Structures are given as C-alpha cells and as structure tokens.
Amino acid sequence: MEALRAWRASSNLLGFAASRAAKAAPAARPLRPHVRCCSPAAASTTKPPPPPPQDRRRRSASSSSSSTSDRESIRAIRLKKVEELRGKGYEPYAYKWDRTHTTKELQDGYTHLENGEVCADVAVSIAGRIVARRAFGKLVFMTVRDDSGTIQLYCEKDSLTEEQFEQLKTIIDIGDIIGANGSIKKTEKGELSVYVKNFEILTKSLLPLPDKYHGLTDVDKRYRQRYVDMIANPEVADVFRTRAKVVSEIRKTMESFGFIEVETPVLQGAAGGAEARPFITHHNSLQRDLYLRIATELHLKRMLVGGLEKVYEIGRIFRNEGISTRHNPEFTTIEMYEAYSDYESMMNLAEEIVTRCAMATHGKLRVDYQGTEISLERPWRRETMHSLVKEATGIDFNSFGEDLESAKNAARGIKTESNENISLQACSSVGHVLNEVFETVVESSLVQPTFVLDYPVEISPLAKPHRRYAGLTERFELFICGREIGNAFSELTDPIDQRGRFENQIKQHNAKRAAMTKEVKSTEGKHEEDDFSYEVTLDEDFLTSLEYGMPPASGMGLGIDRLVMLLTNSASIRDLFFPRNDERALPR
C-alpha cells in the first residue's frame, strides 16, 4: 500500500508540474532527450491493441516501449524541477554536507527510546538517498538510505518553513539524495526517526528507481547497470564489502608470515605463456605490440633472483578467452613466492589464507555454497591426480607408459555425465590424456577442499620435476566446489631445463597455429574458440635471470574472485564486477 500511495502521489505531482510548465509556455514544444527505443512502437502515440496471449515476444516489446516512454516523461518533468529550484536560488547539486551520524549509528544509539519519546536536546545531521516517501496532510514520512542502513525522516509542516514543506510535496522524488538536520524521535508505532527541522536537496535524481516490490529483476540490466542494482538490491553491496574484507585479510596473513608486497608490469613485451591467449595492444611511441599480462609469475621470480626471499602481488590478470559463470577476461589473483621452501609449504599457506578469510567474513569454518555445506576445517584432503582418476574411472594411466594410443583408447571408453566423448584431439602425450580425463570426469566432483598433487610434466612447464616419480612434477591445484582455487609448484630453477620446456611449449603452440591456419583457409572462416594466431616468443630476460641463479623456492597463485564467490555464496563470477556495457546474454 505504501508503494501504491507513493506512486499515486508521484503521478499527481507529475501532472501538476506538467500543467504548470504548459501554462508558463503554452506555445513551446517541450524538448525530449534522445533515447534509442527498443522498438518502433515506442515512438507511436496511439496505443496498439493488446496482442494475443500466445504472442509473448510482441507483448514484451510493447511493455519495454511503454516503460521507455514513461521513463522519458519522468525525466523531462524532473528536469523542469531542477530548473524551478535554480530559478528560486537553490542549487540541486550541492558541494558538500556536514553530517554528524550515519543511519546505523543512530539506530544503534537510540534504540532504547520509548514509543513517542523525543530527544529534543539532541541535534543530528544525516544524508542519504530517499527510497520511500509517504504524505499525509501536514506530515511527510521519508525513508533515507546511506551506506550503513536506513532511517525514517519525520517531516511536520509546523517544524518547517512553508517553502520547504511545499518542496517536500512538489519537488522531492524517490531517488533524490538529501541532507537533513533535526532531533531524534521514536514514533508512536515504534519507528526511530529524525524529526526534521531543516533539509537540503543535495542531488536531484532525474531517472526513476525500479519498482519497490519487484526491484530490478532483469538479469542483463542488473549486470550492465550495477549501480542501479546496488540501489534496488542493497544486499548486492555486501558482496563488495566482503571482497574488501577478504583482500584485507589476505594482506594481513601474508605480512604475518614475513612476505612483502610488490608491483610488476601489466604491459609486457612477450606473451607470457602458450597455454593462455593474451590481449594485445599497441604502444605508439615504441611502435610495437605489447601484451597484457596473463600472470605475475615471471617478474616475481626475478625478485627472488634479486635477493628478496618472500614476495607477493595482488593484481589484475587478463586472458583473452571464454566467459562463463567461472571465467572472466579480467580477474584478480594473488601470487606468492618463498625461497628455500617447496610445494608442501604452499599447501599449508593455502589452508591458512582461506581459513583466515572464512573466519574474518563468517566467523566459522563451515560455509553454505549454493545449498551445499563446505567444511574448511583443516587438514584438507590430499590426493594425486593419478589416484583420483583411477578412483573415478578404474583406469591406471601409469600402466600406459608412453603409449599414447592405448591411453586414448582407454579414455574413449569412459562414460561422462553428458554421454559425450572426451576431447582427445589436442592430446599429444599420455600426460595430456590424463589431464583431459581429470578435467572432464573428476574435477566437478571435488566439492570439499582437495589438493590434487603431482601433475604430468607435459602440462606443467614451470614446475620442478618430482623428486621420486619420473614424468611428474611437484605441483598441486586446490579445488573447492569443483573449481580450481589455487595452483602451486616447487619452482623450476634449472635454466637449461626451463629453456627446453619453453621451447617445447612454443613448438606445440606453433603446430596448433599452423593447423588452425590450414583449417581457416579450407573453410574460409575464422575460428574464435581456439585462436592460436598470436605469436609466442621466449622471454629471454627471464631465462637470463635464472642463469644468475634463483634459490630453491615454491610459489602459488590463488584466485581471489573464486574465493570471494565461495564466501559470498555467489553463483556467477559476474556478481563480483562492474561488467562492460557491451555484454549481452552471457552465461550466468
């Protein structure tokens, strides 16, 4: 009922303002801002007949057009209110406002008041956005929201000037940002309120907020206009607050273990790895292409060569690859490197970081994620990739040695949930086949925290060879809720071995590039999904640094976005960002 009354009052005000404008300039044609409409029907002045029930698409277009037309009308009327305010000497876009309290401070500090009690000797000043408004004769009630919460404004005609009370009734709209001074009052119905003695319009809103009860429900619009989403759905801001807590707790944890934070270049002269497709940009002064980094790894290792023994960086990473609920072209990671340690040390550090973040945000180590309880209590499960694949499929890939065809034949016989064959086309070794089976069959089942250990050397070009098992590396990935959260190695420090692995990786990339070029020529088309058209070169400077000597070390990268998804119960990684305005109909 409150929303209905507010809408009726707003409609009356819109009509009142429009009639005043018409009387003031009867011959003038009102200027309307140019807005690209969703359909030609938006420009029509004749209401079309209702579509038949089965024509949902036409009904949706008509509804969208009507909504756009209403929005234009409201904006035009509010622009006239801005002109009216300025005509009377008021500035509707203020420079500042001195406030004494947040709404939460008032709610916490005066909750003890009895119903009907007034603290006349207390002067307070608050500011915020009007999210609800109700008028009853000589009383106007408004709900104001700031960053901390909401509070009611109790506006009585006898306590305000006649001009101010008239502004409350004719000028102020839901969505406006105002500042108010007054005392504290708890109404007879028990609503803590600011008893307003004076107020100012700090920002006049030109566009209407989403309907109070339906909110902003269009998923695409919620992602494109995150700011409106945050106004209409205040709980959305909690995700950003939790993210800030997580990043802060990670920094505290790293500092407590003696790590120092550094910054490394975002623009790099060479593509950082053959397995991740980079974004390419052009430096005009240098007249050369540069690449947005796909990892901070190689520069942080240079720090170890230079003598720093514990370093980390929290930074934005860019990969020109697919978009899904788990993947975004730009994302945030922390990478850390510690001299004189191995990957066992990084497992302990991963547990420490995640559990501290859970305690900082939830106060406990059991969290709910999309209806499943996740236990973060230590120690976490540790299993090798070979063991997990054998457990899931019954196949021991150790038994194939280097027999690629036998491994592929065994993989073809594995039944997947989707009943589709495992993709083996790009597998050039038994290690690649093992990894493909793991990603297809095992990965999604790792719901509780699990360290997957000892990856094949073919897919781990930066990891140290396993000290006990030939063909494997000392590498682990951490999975929670079927998602990779972290990736760590005992770091490769042998410069000759490292050069050989990089060269082999480049050969594989160039072979895929040649095959793609041949396929494009034969089909006269371009394949977006597996684009190997960019050139990969050796990072000679990094290889040179290794020849000066890097101490034994371990390193790890943790995906901060996926950790925040877990701790905020977010189903999509897009819930954590302000997506670009050109995104449409992407996976949720």
Side-chain angles (χ1 to χ4, degrees), residues 378-411:
R378 302 166 69 176
W380 296 346
R381 183 187 183 193
R382 303 182 182 190
E383 291 286 350
T384 67
M385 177 183 280
H386 277 87
S387 296
L388 289 168
V389 168
K390 184 177 180 180
E391 179 183 300
T393 67
I395 300 172
D396 182 2
F397 276 83
N398 280 317
S399 65
F400 297 119
E402 297 182 3
D403 188 347
L404 177 59
E405 285 306 312
S406 295
K408 284 187 175 183
N409 289 334

PDB file of all heavy atoms in Angstrom, residues 378-411:
ATOM      1  N   ARG A 378      40.672 -27.838   8.879  1.00  0.00           N
ATOM      2  CA  ARG A 378      41.917 -28.470   8.471  1.00  0.00           C
ATOM      3  C   ARG A 378      42.121 -29.779   9.227  1.00  0.00           C
ATOM      4  O   ARG A 378      41.595 -29.956  10.322  1.00  0.00           O
ATOM      5  CB  ARG A 378      43.077 -27.506   8.739  1.00  0.00           C
ATOM      6  CG  ARG A 378      42.925 -26.183   8.024  1.00  0.00           C
ATOM      7  CD  ARG A 378      43.864 -25.113   8.523  1.00  0.00           C
ATOM      8  NE  ARG A 378      45.250 -25.395   8.180  1.00  0.00           N
ATOM      9  CZ  ARG A 378      46.244 -24.568   8.447  1.00  0.00           C
ATOM     10  NH1 ARG A 378      46.007 -23.405   9.040  1.00  0.00           N
ATOM     11  NH2 ARG A 378      47.477 -24.882   8.113  1.00  0.00           N
ATOM     12  N   PRO A 379      42.926 -30.700   8.640  1.00  0.00           N
ATOM     13  CA  PRO A 379      43.625 -30.619   7.349  1.00  0.00           C
ATOM     14  C   PRO A 379      42.706 -30.993   6.192  1.00  0.00           C
ATOM     15  O   PRO A 379      41.721 -31.709   6.372  1.00  0.00           O
ATOM     16  CB  PRO A 379      44.746 -31.643   7.500  1.00  0.00           C
ATOM     17  CG  PRO A 379      44.151 -32.680   8.403  1.00  0.00           C
ATOM     18  CD  PRO A 379      43.271 -31.934   9.375  1.00  0.00           C
ATOM     19  N   TRP A 380      43.055 -30.516   4.996  1.00  0.00           N
ATOM     20  CA  TRP A 380      42.263 -30.807   3.808  1.00  0.00           C
ATOM     21  C   TRP A 380      42.803 -32.058   3.107  1.00  0.00           C
ATOM     22  O   TRP A 380      43.969 -32.427   3.251  1.00  0.00           O
ATOM     23  CB  TRP A 380      42.300 -29.626   2.844  1.00  0.00           C
ATOM     24  CG  TRP A 380      41.665 -28.384   3.428  1.00  0.00           C
ATOM     25  CD1 TRP A 380      40.871 -28.302   4.529  1.00  0.00           C
ATOM     26  CD2 TRP A 380      41.804 -27.049   2.941  1.00  0.00           C
ATOM     27  NE1 TRP A 380      40.491 -27.002   4.762  1.00  0.00           N
ATOM     28  CE2 TRP A 380      41.048 -26.217   3.801  1.00  0.00           C
ATOM     29  CE3 TRP A 380      42.482 -26.474   1.873  1.00  0.00           C
ATOM     30  CZ2 TRP A 380      40.963 -24.832   3.610  1.00  0.00           C
ATOM     31  CZ3 TRP A 380      42.393 -25.108   1.668  1.00  0.00           C
ATOM     32  CH2 TRP A 380      41.633 -24.286   2.534  1.00  0.00           C
ATOM     33  N   ARG A 381      41.938 -32.667   2.320  1.00  0.00           N
ATOM     34  CA  ARG A 381      42.285 -33.893   1.609  1.00  0.00           C
ATOM     35  C   ARG A 381      43.419 -33.640   0.614  1.00  0.00           C
ATOM     36  O   ARG A 381      43.441 -32.615  -0.064  1.00  0.00           O
ATOM     37  CB  ARG A 381      41.058 -34.414   0.862  1.00  0.00           C
ATOM     38  CG  ARG A 381      41.263 -35.729   0.131  1.00  0.00           C
ATOM     39  CD  ARG A 381      40.041 -36.066  -0.708  1.00  0.00           C
ATOM     40  NE  ARG A 381      40.176 -37.361  -1.371  1.00  0.00           N
ATOM     41  CZ  ARG A 381      39.390 -37.775  -2.337  1.00  0.00           C
ATOM     42  NH1 ARG A 381      38.394 -37.007  -2.772  1.00  0.00           N
ATOM     43  NH2 ARG A 381      39.576 -38.961  -2.891  1.00  0.00           N
ATOM     44  N   ARG A 382      44.338 -34.610   0.504  1.00  0.00           N
ATOM     45  CA  ARG A 382      45.451 -34.524  -0.445  1.00  0.00           C
ATOM     46  C   ARG A 382      45.546 -35.843  -1.213  1.00  0.00           C
ATOM     47  O   ARG A 382      45.743 -36.908  -0.601  1.00  0.00           O
ATOM     48  CB  ARG A 382      46.764 -34.229   0.278  1.00  0.00           C
ATOM     49  CG  ARG A 382      46.730 -32.950   1.109  1.00  0.00           C
ATOM     50  CD  ARG A 382      48.044 -32.633   1.787  1.00  0.00           C
ATOM     51  NE  ARG A 382      47.940 -31.417   2.608  1.00  0.00           N
ATOM     52  CZ  ARG A 382      48.956 -30.782   3.171  1.00  0.00           C
ATOM     53  NH1 ARG A 382      50.192 -31.258   2.993  1.00  0.00           N
ATOM     54  NH2 ARG A 382      48.765 -29.693   3.886  1.00  0.00           N
ATOM     55  N   GLU A 383      45.367 -35.762  -2.543  1.00  0.00           N
ATOM     56  CA  GLU A 383      45.420 -36.955  -3.394  1.00  0.00           C
ATOM     57  C   GLU A 383      46.141 -36.626  -4.694  1.00  0.00           C
ATOM     58  O   GLU A 383      46.062 -35.504  -5.189  1.00  0.00           O
ATOM     59  CB  GLU A 383      44.011 -37.462  -3.724  1.00  0.00           C
ATOM     60  CG  GLU A 383      43.251 -38.056  -2.559  1.00  0.00           C
ATOM     61  CD  GLU A 383      43.749 -39.425  -2.149  1.00  0.00           C
ATOM     62  OE1 GLU A 383      44.579 -40.002  -2.895  1.00  0.00           O
ATOM     63  OE2 GLU A 383      43.313 -39.916  -1.085  1.00  0.00           O
ATOM     64  N   THR A 384      46.810 -37.624  -5.277  1.00  0.00           N
ATOM     65  CA  THR A 384      47.470 -37.398  -6.565  1.00  0.00           C
ATOM     66  C   THR A 384      46.434 -37.432  -7.692  1.00  0.00           C
ATOM     67  O   THR A 384      45.357 -38.036  -7.562  1.00  0.00           O
ATOM     68  CB  THR A 384      48.541 -38.468  -6.841  1.00  0.00           C
ATOM     69  OG1 THR A 384      47.896 -39.732  -7.031  1.00  0.00           O
ATOM     70  CG2 THR A 384      49.530 -38.556  -5.682  1.00  0.00           C
ATOM     71  N   MET A 385      46.785 -36.805  -8.809  1.00  0.00           N
ATOM     72  CA  MET A 385      45.899 -36.822  -9.967  1.00  0.00           C
ATOM     73  C   MET A 385      45.675 -38.255 -10.446  1.00  0.00           C
ATOM     74  O   MET A 385      44.536 -38.638 -10.775  1.00  0.00           O
ATOM     75  CB  MET A 385      46.485 -35.967 -11.103  1.00  0.00           C
ATOM     76  CG  MET A 385      45.646 -35.991 -12.375  1.00  0.00           C
ATOM     77  SD  MET A 385      46.355 -35.054 -13.742  1.00  0.00           S
ATOM     78  CE  MET A 385      45.884 -33.393 -13.299  1.00  0.00           C
ATOM     79  N   HIS A 386      46.721 -39.046 -10.487  1.00  0.00           N
ATOM     80  CA  HIS A 386      46.583 -40.447 -10.933  1.00  0.00           C
ATOM     81  C   HIS A 386      45.597 -41.204 -10.041  1.00  0.00           C
ATOM     82  O   HIS A 386      44.749 -41.959 -10.531  1.00  0.00           O
ATOM     83  CB  HIS A 386      47.938 -41.151 -10.916  1.00  0.00           C
ATOM     84  CG  HIS A 386      48.767 -40.911 -12.131  1.00  0.00           C
ATOM     85  ND1 HIS A 386      49.618 -39.829 -12.243  1.00  0.00           N
ATOM     86  CD2 HIS A 386      48.878 -41.598 -13.302  1.00  0.00           C
ATOM     87  CE1 HIS A 386      50.221 -39.868 -13.425  1.00  0.00           C
ATOM     88  NE2 HIS A 386      49.787 -40.929 -14.089  1.00  0.00           N
ATOM     89  N   SER A 387      45.686 -41.031  -8.726  1.00  0.00           N
ATOM     90  CA  SER A 387      44.811 -41.754  -7.803  1.00  0.00           C
ATOM     91  C   SER A 387      43.358 -41.339  -7.978  1.00  0.00           C
ATOM     92  O   SER A 387      42.453 -42.188  -7.965  1.00  0.00           O
ATOM     93  CB  SER A 387      45.247 -41.497  -6.360  1.00  0.00           C
ATOM     94  OG  SER A 387      46.538 -42.016  -6.126  1.00  0.00           O
ATOM     95  N   LEU A 388      43.116 -40.045  -8.159  1.00  0.00           N
ATOM     96  CA  LEU A 388      41.744 -39.558  -8.311  1.00  0.00           C
ATOM     97  C   LEU A 388      41.123 -40.058  -9.611  1.00  0.00           C
ATOM     98  O   LEU A 388      39.942 -40.433  -9.649  1.00  0.00           O
ATOM     99  CB  LEU A 388      41.720 -38.028  -8.263  1.00  0.00           C
ATOM    100  CG  LEU A 388      41.991 -37.411  -6.885  1.00  0.00           C
ATOM    101  CD1 LEU A 388      42.225 -35.905  -7.011  1.00  0.00           C
ATOM    102  CD2 LEU A 388      40.837 -37.693  -5.929  1.00  0.00           C
ATOM    103  N   VAL A 389      41.907 -40.076 -10.688  1.00  0.00           N
ATOM    104  CA  VAL A 389      41.392 -40.574 -11.965  1.00  0.00           C
ATOM    105  C   VAL A 389      41.119 -42.076 -11.876  1.00  0.00           C
ATOM    106  O   VAL A 389      40.086 -42.563 -12.356  1.00  0.00           O
ATOM    107  CB  VAL A 389      42.376 -40.258 -13.113  1.00  0.00           C
ATOM    108  CG1 VAL A 389      41.990 -41.014 -14.381  1.00  0.00           C
ATOM    109  CG2 VAL A 389      42.410 -38.756 -13.375  1.00  0.00           C
ATOM    110  N   LYS A 390      42.002 -42.808 -11.255  1.00  0.00           N
ATOM    111  CA  LYS A 390      41.793 -44.262 -11.100  1.00  0.00           C
ATOM    112  C   LYS A 390      40.566 -44.536 -10.240  1.00  0.00           C
ATOM    113  O   LYS A 390      39.773 -45.451 -10.520  1.00  0.00           O
ATOM    114  CB  LYS A 390      43.036 -44.895 -10.480  1.00  0.00           C
ATOM    115  CG  LYS A 390      42.940 -46.419 -10.365  1.00  0.00           C
ATOM    116  CD  LYS A 390      44.233 -47.006  -9.804  1.00  0.00           C
ATOM    117  CE  LYS A 390      44.114 -48.533  -9.708  1.00  0.00           C
ATOM    118  NZ  LYS A 390      45.363 -49.141  -9.161  1.00  0.00           N
ATOM    119  N   GLU A 391      40.393 -43.747  -9.185  1.00  0.00           N
ATOM    120  CA  GLU A 391      39.232 -43.907  -8.301  1.00  0.00           C
ATOM    121  C   GLU A 391      37.927 -43.676  -9.053  1.00  0.00           C
ATOM    122  O   GLU A 391      36.930 -44.354  -8.828  1.00  0.00           O
ATOM    123  CB  GLU A 391      39.366 -42.920  -7.141  1.00  0.00           C
ATOM    124  CG  GLU A 391      38.228 -42.952  -6.140  1.00  0.00           C
ATOM    125  CD  GLU A 391      38.420 -41.888  -5.073  1.00  0.00           C
ATOM    126  OE1 GLU A 391      39.454 -41.946  -4.360  1.00  0.00           O
ATOM    127  OE2 GLU A 391      37.561 -41.004  -4.940  1.00  0.00           O
ATOM    128  N   ALA A 392      37.928 -42.705  -9.993  1.00  0.00           N
ATOM    129  CA  ALA A 392      36.703 -42.347 -10.710  1.00  0.00           C
ATOM    130  C   ALA A 392      36.434 -43.246 -11.913  1.00  0.00           C
ATOM    131  O   ALA A 392      35.279 -43.471 -12.279  1.00  0.00           O
ATOM    132  CB  ALA A 392      36.776 -40.890 -11.158  1.00  0.00           C
ATOM    133  N   THR A 393      37.490 -43.751 -12.552  1.00  0.00           N
ATOM    134  CA  THR A 393      37.309 -44.486 -13.814  1.00  0.00           C
ATOM    135  C   THR A 393      37.760 -45.933 -13.762  1.00  0.00           C
ATOM    136  O   THR A 393      37.416 -46.725 -14.653  1.00  0.00           O
ATOM    137  CB  THR A 393      38.092 -43.787 -14.942  1.00  0.00           C
ATOM    138  OG1 THR A 393      39.506 -43.892 -14.679  1.00  0.00           O
ATOM    139  CG2 THR A 393      37.690 -42.321 -15.059  1.00  0.00           C
ATOM    140  N   GLY A 394      38.579 -46.266 -12.765  1.00  0.00           N
ATOM    141  CA  GLY A 394      39.133 -47.615 -12.707  1.00  0.00           C
ATOM    142  C   GLY A 394      40.352 -47.805 -13.588  1.00  0.00           C
ATOM    143  O   GLY A 394      40.899 -48.911 -13.680  1.00  0.00           O
ATOM    144  N   ILE A 395      40.820 -46.742 -14.257  1.00  0.00           N
ATOM    145  CA  ILE A 395      41.951 -46.834 -15.190  1.00  0.00           C
ATOM    146  C   ILE A 395      43.212 -46.277 -14.528  1.00  0.00           C
ATOM    147  O   ILE A 395      43.202 -45.158 -13.998  1.00  0.00           O
ATOM    148  CB  ILE A 395      41.658 -46.055 -16.488  1.00  0.00           C
ATOM    149  CG1 ILE A 395      40.418 -46.618 -17.176  1.00  0.00           C
ATOM    150  CG2 ILE A 395      42.859 -46.098 -17.428  1.00  0.00           C
ATOM    151  CD1 ILE A 395      39.949 -45.792 -18.359  1.00  0.00           C
ATOM    152  N   ASP A 396      44.285 -47.057 -14.561  1.00  0.00           N
ATOM    153  CA  ASP A 396      45.575 -46.610 -14.035  1.00  0.00           C
ATOM    154  C   ASP A 396      46.424 -46.139 -15.219  1.00  0.00           C
ATOM    155  O   ASP A 396      46.950 -46.955 -15.983  1.00  0.00           O
ATOM    156  CB  ASP A 396      46.270 -47.753 -13.298  1.00  0.00           C
ATOM    157  CG  ASP A 396      47.597 -47.318 -12.685  1.00  0.00           C
ATOM    158  OD1 ASP A 396      47.942 -46.120 -12.814  1.00  0.00           O
ATOM    159  OD2 ASP A 396      48.268 -48.177 -12.087  1.00  0.00           O
ATOM    160  N   PHE A 397      46.542 -44.826 -15.381  1.00  0.00           N
ATOM    161  CA  PHE A 397      47.284 -44.288 -16.525  1.00  0.00           C
ATOM    162  C   PHE A 397      48.788 -44.490 -16.388  1.00  0.00           C
ATOM    163  O   PHE A 397      49.526 -44.322 -17.361  1.00  0.00           O
ATOM    164  CB  PHE A 397      46.944 -42.805 -16.717  1.00  0.00           C
ATOM    165  CG  PHE A 397      45.683 -42.588 -17.504  1.00  0.00           C
ATOM    166  CD1 PHE A 397      44.437 -42.639 -16.876  1.00  0.00           C
ATOM    167  CD2 PHE A 397      45.711 -42.365 -18.867  1.00  0.00           C
ATOM    168  CE1 PHE A 397      43.268 -42.451 -17.593  1.00  0.00           C
ATOM    169  CE2 PHE A 397      44.559 -42.179 -19.590  1.00  0.00           C
ATOM    170  CZ  PHE A 397      43.326 -42.231 -18.952  1.00  0.00           C
ATOM    171  N   ASN A 398      49.260 -44.864 -15.191  1.00  0.00           N
ATOM    172  CA  ASN A 398      50.683 -45.194 -15.041  1.00  0.00           C
ATOM    173  C   ASN A 398      51.041 -46.420 -15.877  1.00  0.00           C
ATOM    174  O   ASN A 398      52.183 -46.577 -16.318  1.00  0.00           O
ATOM    175  CB  ASN A 398      51.013 -45.470 -13.576  1.00  0.00           C
ATOM    176  CG  ASN A 398      51.205 -44.185 -12.784  1.00  0.00           C
ATOM    177  OD1 ASN A 398      51.850 -43.257 -13.258  1.00  0.00           O
ATOM    178  ND2 ASN A 398      50.624 -44.137 -11.587  1.00  0.00           N
ATOM    179  N   SER A 399      50.064 -47.282 -16.113  1.00  0.00           N
ATOM    180  CA  SER A 399      50.341 -48.544 -16.802  1.00  0.00           C
ATOM    181  C   SER A 399      50.603 -48.357 -18.296  1.00  0.00           C
ATOM    182  O   SER A 399      51.114 -49.273 -18.952  1.00  0.00           O
ATOM    183  CB  SER A 399      49.156 -49.506 -16.615  1.00  0.00           C
ATOM    184  OG  SER A 399      47.989 -48.988 -17.244  1.00  0.00           O
ATOM    185  N   PHE A 400      50.277 -47.187 -18.844  1.00  0.00           N
ATOM    186  CA  PHE A 400      50.452 -46.984 -20.290  1.00  0.00           C
ATOM    187  C   PHE A 400      51.868 -46.529 -20.658  1.00  0.00           C
ATOM    188  O   PHE A 400      52.231 -46.552 -21.841  1.00  0.00           O
ATOM    189  CB  PHE A 400      49.445 -45.956 -20.809  1.00  0.00           C
ATOM    190  CG  PHE A 400      48.018 -46.387 -20.649  1.00  0.00           C
ATOM    191  CD1 PHE A 400      47.142 -45.654 -19.867  1.00  0.00           C
ATOM    192  CD2 PHE A 400      47.548 -47.532 -21.263  1.00  0.00           C
ATOM    193  CE1 PHE A 400      45.832 -46.047 -19.703  1.00  0.00           C
ATOM    194  CE2 PHE A 400      46.234 -47.943 -21.106  1.00  0.00           C
ATOM    195  CZ  PHE A 400      45.363 -47.197 -20.317  1.00  0.00           C
ATOM    196  N   GLY A 401      52.661 -46.122 -19.673  1.00  0.00           N
ATOM    197  CA  GLY A 401      53.993 -45.613 -20.001  1.00  0.00           C
ATOM    198  C   GLY A 401      53.884 -44.445 -20.950  1.00  0.00           C
ATOM    199  O   GLY A 401      53.254 -43.436 -20.639  1.00  0.00           O
ATOM    200  N   GLU A 402      54.511 -44.593 -22.151  1.00  0.00           N
ATOM    201  CA  GLU A 402      54.426 -43.542 -23.169  1.00  0.00           C
ATOM    202  C   GLU A 402      53.554 -43.971 -24.353  1.00  0.00           C
ATOM    203  O   GLU A 402      53.632 -43.381 -25.439  1.00  0.00           O
ATOM    204  CB  GLU A 402      55.829 -43.172 -23.651  1.00  0.00           C
ATOM    205  CG  GLU A 402      56.705 -42.593 -22.548  1.00  0.00           C
ATOM    206  CD  GLU A 402      58.081 -42.176 -23.058  1.00  0.00           C
ATOM    207  OE1 GLU A 402      58.318 -42.285 -24.295  1.00  0.00           O
ATOM    208  OE2 GLU A 402      58.914 -41.751 -22.250  1.00  0.00           O
ATOM    209  N   ASP A 403      52.720 -44.976 -24.157  1.00  0.00           N
ATOM    210  CA  ASP A 403      51.861 -45.494 -25.226  1.00  0.00           C
ATOM    211  C   ASP A 403      50.626 -44.605 -25.354  1.00  0.00           C
ATOM    212  O   ASP A 403      49.597 -44.833 -24.697  1.00  0.00           O
ATOM    213  CB  ASP A 403      51.470 -46.934 -24.913  1.00  0.00           C
ATOM    214  CG  ASP A 403      50.740 -47.591 -26.086  1.00  0.00           C
ATOM    215  OD1 ASP A 403      50.332 -46.870 -27.023  1.00  0.00           O
ATOM    216  OD2 ASP A 403      50.559 -48.816 -26.049  1.00  0.00           O
ATOM    217  N   LEU A 404      50.721 -43.585 -26.213  1.00  0.00           N
ATOM    218  CA  LEU A 404      49.665 -42.593 -26.355  1.00  0.00           C
ATOM    219  C   LEU A 404      48.368 -43.202 -26.872  1.00  0.00           C
ATOM    220  O   LEU A 404      47.276 -42.905 -26.371  1.00  0.00           O
ATOM    221  CB  LEU A 404      50.140 -41.458 -27.279  1.00  0.00           C
ATOM    222  CG  LEU A 404      49.123 -40.362 -27.600  1.00  0.00           C
ATOM    223  CD1 LEU A 404      48.643 -39.675 -26.329  1.00  0.00           C
ATOM    224  CD2 LEU A 404      49.739 -39.332 -28.557  1.00  0.00           C
ATOM    225  N   GLU A 405      48.464 -44.083 -27.893  1.00  0.00           N
ATOM    226  CA  GLU A 405      47.251 -44.640 -28.492  1.00  0.00           C
ATOM    227  C   GLU A 405      46.466 -45.499 -27.506  1.00  0.00           C
ATOM    228  O   GLU A 405      45.233 -45.448 -27.473  1.00  0.00           O
ATOM    229  CB  GLU A 405      47.610 -45.450 -29.743  1.00  0.00           C
ATOM    230  CG  GLU A 405      47.962 -44.597 -30.944  1.00  0.00           C
ATOM    231  CD  GLU A 405      46.872 -43.566 -31.267  1.00  0.00           C
ATOM    232  OE1 GLU A 405      45.681 -43.969 -31.323  1.00  0.00           O
ATOM    233  OE2 GLU A 405      47.200 -42.387 -31.447  1.00  0.00           O
ATOM    234  N   SER A 406      47.168 -46.277 -26.699  1.00  0.00           N
ATOM    235  CA  SER A 406      46.481 -47.099 -25.695  1.00  0.00           C
ATOM    236  C   SER A 406      45.770 -46.211 -24.675  1.00  0.00           C
ATOM    237  O   SER A 406      44.640 -46.511 -24.241  1.00  0.00           O
ATOM    238  CB  SER A 406      47.473 -48.028 -24.993  1.00  0.00           C
ATOM    239  OG  SER A 406      48.021 -48.964 -25.900  1.00  0.00           O
ATOM    240  N   ALA A 407      46.426 -45.126 -24.283  1.00  0.00           N
ATOM    241  CA  ALA A 407      45.811 -44.195 -23.324  1.00  0.00           C
ATOM    242  C   ALA A 407      44.560 -43.559 -23.927  1.00  0.00           C
ATOM    243  O   ALA A 407      43.524 -43.424 -23.261  1.00  0.00           O
ATOM    244  CB  ALA A 407      46.816 -43.126 -22.914  1.00  0.00           C
ATOM    245  N   LYS A 408      44.640 -43.171 -25.219  1.00  0.00           N
ATOM    246  CA  LYS A 408      43.481 -42.560 -25.875  1.00  0.00           C
ATOM    247  C   LYS A 408      42.333 -43.559 -25.995  1.00  0.00           C
ATOM    248  O   LYS A 408      41.163 -43.212 -25.775  1.00  0.00           O
ATOM    249  CB  LYS A 408      43.868 -42.030 -27.256  1.00  0.00           C
ATOM    250  CG  LYS A 408      44.659 -40.733 -27.238  1.00  0.00           C
ATOM    251  CD  LYS A 408      44.860 -40.192 -28.642  1.00  0.00           C
ATOM    252  CE  LYS A 408      45.539 -38.829 -28.625  1.00  0.00           C
ATOM    253  NZ  LYS A 408      45.676 -38.264 -29.980  1.00  0.00           N
ATOM    254  N   ASN A 409      42.650 -44.802 -26.355  1.00  0.00           N
ATOM    255  CA  ASN A 409      41.610 -45.823 -26.488  1.00  0.00           C
ATOM    256  C   ASN A 409      40.917 -46.058 -25.148  1.00  0.00           C
ATOM    257  O   ASN A 409      39.685 -46.230 -25.093  1.00  0.00           O
ATOM    258  CB  ASN A 409      42.205 -47.123 -27.016  1.00  0.00           C
ATOM    259  CG  ASN A 409      42.609 -47.023 -28.477  1.00  0.00           C
ATOM    260  OD1 ASN A 409      42.045 -46.222 -29.226  1.00  0.00           O
ATOM    261  ND2 ASN A 409      43.587 -47.821 -28.875  1.00  0.00           N
ATOM    262  N   ALA A 410      41.688 -46.057 -24.078  1.00  0.00           N
ATOM    263  CA  ALA A 410      41.092 -46.250 -22.747  1.00  0.00           C
ATOM    264  C   ALA A 410      40.189 -45.068 -22.391  1.00  0.00           C
ATOM    265  O   ALA A 410      39.103 -45.246 -21.843  1.00  0.00           O
ATOM    266  CB  ALA A 410      42.194 -46.410 -21.702  1.00  0.00           C
ATOM    267  N   ALA A 411      40.637 -43.868 -22.737  1.00  0.00           N
ATOM    268  CA  ALA A 411      39.846 -42.664 -22.421  1.00  0.00           C
ATOM    269  C   ALA A 411      38.549 -42.628 -23.217  1.00  0.00           C
ATOM    270  O   ALA A 411      37.523 -42.156 -22.728  1.00  0.00           O
ATOM    271  CB  ALA A 411      40.675 -41.413 -22.700  1.00  0.00           C
TER     272      ALA A 411
END
